[in-house]
Amino acid sequence: MTVQLKTSASSGAIAITLGDRSSFKTLAATLPAPTRHWLAALGFTGAPDSFALVPGPDGKLGQVFAGINHVADPFALAALPNALPEGRYFLSDQGLNLQPEQAALSWELGGYQFDLYKPRRRAPAELQLVPSADAQRGLAFATAMAATRDLVNTPAEHMGPEELAKAAQMIAKQHGAKFKQIVGDDLLKQNFPAIHAVGRASTRAPRLIELNWGAADAPLLCIVGKGVCFDTGGLDIKGADGMRQMKKDMGGAANALGLAALVMAFKLPVRLQVLIPAVENSIAGNAYRPGDVIKTRKGLHIEIGNTDAEGRVVLSDALAYASEGKPELIIDLATLTGAARVALGAQLPALFSKHFDSARDLVDLGLKLEDPMWHMPLWAPYKAGIESSIGDIVNTGRNALGGAINAALFLEYFVPENQDWLHIDLFAWNDVARPGRPVGGEAQTIRTLLAYLEQRFA
C-alpha cells in the first residue's frame, strides 16, 4: 500500500500543500517571500495535476505544493505518487483540505501499476494519512479497483475460465461467501446450454461461477458479469486489430467481482448472488456456427447470426438463472458491444434500465462521483430487428444501426417484465493515460453502483 494510516506524520515526512487555480493567489500571499518567489519562478499556479518542489534551508526537499481540480476529485492526488521523489509525505493544514476518502483513493490509484511481468522502475512515494473511516473507505475502493484492473490486464494465457474462477473463489474466501461452479458438460446436465455452446470449442472448459453471501432474510441482489476470457470472434473470426485486446472481454466479470467485493466489505444489508458465465470463444471442429439455433435455459431458441456476438448468448442463461430467485435487483456488467463505444467513447459506459427515474438517479450520481455512465433507451420498436424466422430471436440485428440497443433488448428477453434490472455496457479499459488511470484495464461504474446500492438498501 502506498497510503499509510498514522496518527501523526513520521519524522522526515515532507508536507504537501494543496491549492487550485482560484485559491492559490490567496494562499501565495500568506507564504514567506522566498517561497512565494520560488513558486513564481517555477510558474506554479495551482493547475490540476501540477506540483512544485520547494527546497528547505539545507538545500534538500523541504515542501511540495500541488494543484488539484477540487477537494472532492477522486483523482486529486493521482499525479503525485510516481512523480514525486521516493519518500514519505503528509498533507499540510495550509491550503485546501482534501477529503480523506479522496486523498486515500487518489494516492493509492496514482501508485497503481500492473507489474506482474515487468517490474517497477521505482517505488511510488508514500502518503501518511490520519486514520479515519473515510480514509479506510477510500483504501477499500482503491483495493477493489486495483484488483479489477489486475484481472483485466492479465493475459488470457494466465486468465482463462479456470483462473477467473480461482480469483472469484479467493474473493469469496476473503469475505466468507459460498463459492461453487458448474463446469464443462455439467452445464448441459444442469440446463445452461447457451453457456456451454459458446465455450465448448475451447480446450479450457466453460463454466458458470457463483458466489452467495449475506443473511437469508435480506433482500436479494444479483450481480452478473460477462466472463469471456478471450474472444476470437469464433468462426466469424475477428481481424488482428479487433482481437488484440480481447483479453479484456472478461472486463464485465472483473467489474462484477470488484463491485461484489465492496458490497461484502461494507456489509450492505443484502443477500448477494454473483453469477459469471466464464468461457473462451474459440475456433475448433465443434465450435458453434452461424445459422445454428441454440436452446437457452429459459426455453427460448436463439438463432446465431454471428458467432462474435457471443456475450449476449452466455448472459442469456445467467440472467434467466438470476431471475429465478426473484431478486429485488439484477445488475449485469458486460463489455458487450463496440456500438456503445462508437456512441459514447471509452469513458462513458452505456446504462440501460426499465425505469427512467433509476437511470436519472444513476447518471446524476455518476457525474457527482466522477464515475460516470450514460442512459440509453430500451427502445421497444427495435425488437423487430432481432426477430428470427426459425428461432425466437437472433443474436444480431438486421444491420449495424442501434447495436448497443439491440444487444440490450436481446438480454431483456431473459429478464421477467416485472424484474428490476440494470444493464451496463462498459469498455473496462483506458485507451489513453490520465493521472491514476494508466492505459489498460479499468474499474468503471463500481463506485457509483456501490453508492446507489447503499442508498437503496442501507
Side-chain angles (χ1 to χ4, degrees):
M1 300 287 282
T2 60
V3 174
Q4 301 296 323
L5 301 183
K6 293 181 174 291
T7 54
S8 60
S10 301
S11 174
I14 298 166
I16 300 175
T17 300
L18 303 177
D20 58 21
R21 290 184 189 274
S22 63
S23 69
F24 179 69
K25 286 184 179 180
T26 302
L27 173 63
T30 68
L31 300 174
T35 302
R36 186 169 64 251
H37 296 325
W38 180 269
L39 293 173
L42 293 176
F44 180 79
T45 63
D49 303 323
S50 67
F51 65 92
L53 306 181
V54 178
D58 58 0
K60 296 179 181 179
L61 178 58
Q63 189 176 6
V64 176
F65 285 81
I68 64 173
N69 191 16
H70 55 82
V71 293
D73 182 2
F75 294 94
L77 304 179
L80 300 179
N82 289 324
L84 295 180
E86 292 183 38
R88 298 186 301 275
Y89 297 82
F90 68 97
L91 298 180
S92 166
D93 292 334
Q94 279 185 300
L96 297 177
N97 291 317
L98 190 63
Q99 298 176 21
E101 180 179 331
Q102 278 66 31
L105 173 65
S106 61
W107 192 279
E108 197 66 38
L109 290 181
Y112 174 82
Q113 181 179 326
F114 182 65
D115 55 5
L116 181 60
Y117 306 99
K118 185 176 182 179
R120 292 173 179 266
R121 293 183 177 180
R122 49 153 289 181
E126 179 183 298
L127 180 68
Q128 297 180 346
L129 289 177
V130 175
S132 70
D134 286 343
Q136 290 281 12
R137 182 179 174 88
L139 290 179
F141 274 115
T143 299
M145 293 173 69
T148 299
R149 292 174 175 183
D150 284 348
L151 289 174
V152 179
N153 283 326
T154 302
E157 180 181 8
H158 299 137
M159 188 52 64
E162 181 180 359
E163 290 80 8
L164 183 57
K166 288 179 179 178
Q169 188 173 22
M170 184 182 302
I171 292 171
K173 185 176 181 180
Q174 289 172 346
H175 297 283
K178 296 179 180 178
F179 167 87
K180 67 178 182 178
Q181 58 179 326
I182 304 169
V183 182
D185 289 345
D186 284 345
L187 289 165
L188 295 175
K189 296 175 184 177
Q190 299 193 41
N191 194 24
F192 295 97
I195 298 172
H196 183 273
V198 173
R200 70 192 184 202
S202 174
T203 57
R204 307 161 92 177
R207 63 202 65 213
L208 177 67
I209 301 163
E210 180 174 355
L211 274 63
N212 286 279
W213 173 90
D217 59 349
L220 179 59
L221 165 68
C222 187
I223 302 173
V224 180
K226 173 188 168 186
V228 178
C229 295
F230 194 80
D231 181 18
T232 66
L235 292 175
D236 289 309
I237 190 169
K238 295 177 182 286
D241 289 344
M243 209 185 299
R244 174 64 178 86
Q245 299 295 355
M246 280 301 100
K247 67 177 184 180
K248 78 172 196 65
D249 212 19
M250 43 64 72
N255 276 270
L257 288 172
L259 176 58
L262 290 169
V263 168
M264 293 185 286
F266 295 144
K267 301 189 186 312
L268 266 64
V270 298
R271 178 161 55 95
L272 176 66
Q273 181 186 42
V274 181
L275 299 174
I276 296 173
V279 302
E280 277 194 320
N281 187 19
S282 298
I283 299 172
N286 65 336
Y288 80 129
R289 296 164 288 263
D292 282 357
V293 176
I294 296 171
K295 188 177 181 180
T296 66
R297 181 177 184 85
K298 189 172 182 178
L300 296 176
H301 288 81
I302 301 171
E303 181 188 2
I304 302 302
N306 190 303
T307 61
D308 196 20
E310 83 299 327
R312 66 200 74 179
V313 178
V314 298
L315 286 171
S316 69
D317 274 355
L319 287 172
Y321 179 45
S323 299
E324 291 167 13
K326 298 182 180 179
E328 184 164 329
L329 176 65
I330 297 174
I331 302 173
D332 83 73
L333 301 110
T335 54
L336 204 60
T337 68
R341 309 290 76 76
V342 171
L344 298 174
Q347 297 175 23
L348 273 179
L351 165 68
F352 294 85
S353 172
K354 294 181 178 183
H355 304 294
F356 271 69
D357 54 348
S358 297
R360 282 194 295 267
D361 289 344
L362 277 162
V363 170
D364 289 344
L365 191 56
L367 292 173
K368 177 183 177 181
L369 297 176
E370 300 188 36
D371 184 27
M373 60 186 86
W374 207 255
H375 185 207
M376 294 183 73
L378 286 164
W379 190 248
Y382 289 175
K383 285 186 176 180
I386 56 174
E387 292 177 354
S388 168
S389 60
I390 61 171
D392 293 297
I393 49 175
V394 64
N395 73 331
T396 51
R398 290 195 180 118
N399 52 48
L401 300 179
I405 299 173
N406 283 335
L409 291 171
F410 178 98
L411 296 180
E412 190 179 23
Y413 275 91
F414 299 91
V415 178
E417 185 176 353
N418 61 350
Q419 173 64 59
D420 197 0
W421 165 61
L422 301 173
H423 163 55
I424 299 173
D425 188 338
L426 45 72
F427 197 45
W429 191 262
N430 292 315
D431 57 345
V432 294
R434 293 174 289 163
R437 290 152 289 187
V439 171
E442 186 55 289
Q444 293 183 306
T445 75
I446 66 174
R447 288 191 298 113
T448 296
L449 288 170
L450 194 281
Y452 172 77
L453 294 173
E454 286 179 321
Q455 292 177 5
R456 178 164 177 164
F457 292 105

